[in-house]
């Protein structure tokens, strides 16, 4: 019994040494996502490949080549590699082929999503899923890509 108590106390002590063990995903508001993204662009994501690539904070299990159509914020090469499917199980940015509006940041030298799964907004017939209200981080509705771009540009300037 004494050993079990000692082991339990030790486990609690070790767990409290690392505050990340209690971490959970924070989903940014629209304004936060636009402000904190190092780059925002309209892109075409190519074939997604499995990979094990270590960034500064996460290990990524997907990568895809990306062709930039238009940059709204930041600086991007015409083509670059995007990494996704972080080893953070609470939230991930899963990559898929197609046209997207993307909100990106760097993890070390790697381009990654800036706001988990909300980082990549698939463009479907000129529309994207977008925030319904400024203060609601979760509720989305289909909006015209043109309207979303205009809103992003207004918040950048």
């Amino acid at each position: 019994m004494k050993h079990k108590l000692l082991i339990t106390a030790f486990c609690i002590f070790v767990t409290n040494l690392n505050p990340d063990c209690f971490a959970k995903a924070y989903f940014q508001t629209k304004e936060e996502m636009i402000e904190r993204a190092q780059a925002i662009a309209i892109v075409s994501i190519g074939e997604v490949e499995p990979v094990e690539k270590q960034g500064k904070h996460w290990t990524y299990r997907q990568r895809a080549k990306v062709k930039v159509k238009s940059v709204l914020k930041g600086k991007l090469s015409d083509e670059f590699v995007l990494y996704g499917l972080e080893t953070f199980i609470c939230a991930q940015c899963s990559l898929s082929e197609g046209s997207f509006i993307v909100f990106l940041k760097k993890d070390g030298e790697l381009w990654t999503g800036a706001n988990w799964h909300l980082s990549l907004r698939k463009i479907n017939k000129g529309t994207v899923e977008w925030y319904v209200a400024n203060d609601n981080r979760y509720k989305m509705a289909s909006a015209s890509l043109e309207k979303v771009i205009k809103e992003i540009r207004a918040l950048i300037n």
Side-chain angles (χ1 to χ4, degrees):
M1 179 69 177
K2 192 174 186 181
H3 289 99
K4 286 183 182 180
L5 185 58
L6 185 59
I7 291 171
T8 302
F10 178 75
C11 289
I12 291 170
F13 172 76
V14 170
T15 301
N16 285 323
L17 289 177
N18 183 0
D20 290 338
C21 69
F22 296 111
K24 68 181 198 180
Y26 175 78
F27 299 104
Q28 300 165 14
T29 64
K30 172 177 51 181
E31 289 83 3
E32 288 172 328
M33 184 173 67
I34 292 167
E35 179 185 321
R36 293 178 185 177
Q38 291 174 271
I40 302 171
I42 309 297
V43 303
S44 176
I45 298 177
E47 182 180 350
V48 179
E49 305 172 321
V51 69
E52 283 288 320
K53 183 73 171 179
Q54 180 65 49
K56 186 176 178 184
H57 301 291
W58 306 110
T59 300
Y60 298 89
R61 294 176 296 196
Q62 289 181 327
R63 76 172 165 216
K65 288 185 181 177
V66 174
K67 292 183 182 178
V68 176
K69 297 178 183 178
S70 173
V71 176
L72 304 175
K73 178 184 177 182
K75 294 189 186 320
L76 290 168
S77 302
D78 291 342
E79 292 187 11
F80 66 95
V81 176
L82 179 62
Y83 290 85
L85 205 59
E86 302 86 333
T87 51
F88 183 51
I89 60 170
C90 294
Q92 299 170 327
C93 184
S94 182
L95 308 180
S96 62
E97 289 184 57
S99 293
F100 292 83
I101 184 166
V102 295
F103 299 82
L104 306 174
K105 67 176 180 172
K106 285 249 180 151
D107 180 7
E109 295 298 314
L110 309 178
W111 280 111
T112 66
N115 193 21
W116 309 111
H117 67 285
L118 300 173
S119 304
L120 308 179
R121 306 299 178 100
K122 184 138 179 98
I123 300 170
N124 187 12
K125 298 178 184 175
T127 65
V128 294
E129 290 295 306
W130 194 240
Y131 297 92
V132 171
N134 289 337
D135 60 346
N136 190 323
R137 317 165 194 251
Y138 307 107
K139 191 168 182 179
M140 306 286 164
S142 185
S144 103
L145 178 61
E146 187 177 306
K147 175 186 175 268
V148 170
I149 290 171
K150 192 174 183 178
E151 190 173 337
I152 291 168
R153 285 192 170 132
L155 288 168
I156 290 171
N157 297 327

